[in-house]
Amino acid sequence: MSAAEPTAGLMRVQGACHCRAVRLTAEVQPSRVFVCHCTDCQVLTGSAFRVVVPVVPGSLQVQGAVKGYPRTAESGNVRWQYFCPVCGTPMYAGTPDGAGLATVRVGVLQERALLQPTAQLWRRSALPWVNALDDVPACEQQELLG
């Protein structure tokens, strides 16, 4: 598949870390966007969950140097976590040789608003208040801080 000929059901995405030292492109299937509530994802994001989308094998292209380390998950799977060594933005997870499943962090993608989650994983680890966010006061910017 070439960049000019997207396969049906796939979307070409592009993204970058916060400082833009690392950029990536990939082909993803928008119908496979996952929210992961596992405790590893909570710690790695500093938040309640992580949103990821698997990439089509062989389609992930990374420009710039990334740093990575292996992590053995509760499932027993070893996943390499890759991030920007300049600003620390988590970029994707995969294997050191690029073979196998890779998942990109939806937050780094320009198309993130189009990638709505279709499933939640590791729900047993979800923080108890996640479903109650609609009841929390909200504002358009940061007016509630004042």
Side-chain angles (χ1 to χ4, degrees):
M1 163 181 38
S2 74
E5 302 170 15
T7 302
L10 297 181
M11 175 190 292
R12 184 161 187 75
V13 294
Q14 56 187 343
C17 65
H18 195 251
C19 73
R20 307 200 55 81
V22 177
R23 298 169 190 257
L24 59 79
T25 59
E27 295 285 336
V28 302
Q29 191 172 13
S31 63
R32 295 185 44 85
V33 178
F34 306 121
V35 171
C36 185
H37 295 278
C38 80
T39 54
D40 277 350
C41 285
Q42 291 173 13
V43 171
L44 286 166
T45 61
S47 188
F49 51 80
R50 181 187 318 221
V51 183
V52 299
V53 62
V55 302
V56 172
S59 73
L60 180 61
Q61 301 293 316
V62 179
Q63 298 83 40
V66 292
K67 189 163 175 113
Y69 64 93
R71 174 76 175 147
T72 302
E74 182 179 335
S75 65
N77 293 331
V78 176
R79 301 280 290 155
W80 279 72
Q81 305 295 322
Y82 292 98
F83 59 95
C84 172
V86 178
C87 67
T89 301
M91 300 295 294
Y92 62 96
T95 58
D97 61 4
L101 177 67
T103 55
V104 172
R105 312 304 182 228
V106 169
V108 304
L109 300 175
Q110 290 178 10
E111 300 81 5
R112 62 186 164 266
L114 302 174
L115 295 167
Q116 181 174 338
T118 57
Q120 297 183 60
L121 311 175
W122 289 93
R123 186 69 184 165
R124 75 176 191 202
S125 302
L127 297 178
W129 49 261
V130 168
N131 288 336
L133 287 176
D134 281 344
D135 297 332
V136 175
C139 58
E140 290 300 312
Q141 293 180 339
Q142 57 187 32
E143 301 89 290
L144 292 175
L145 296 179

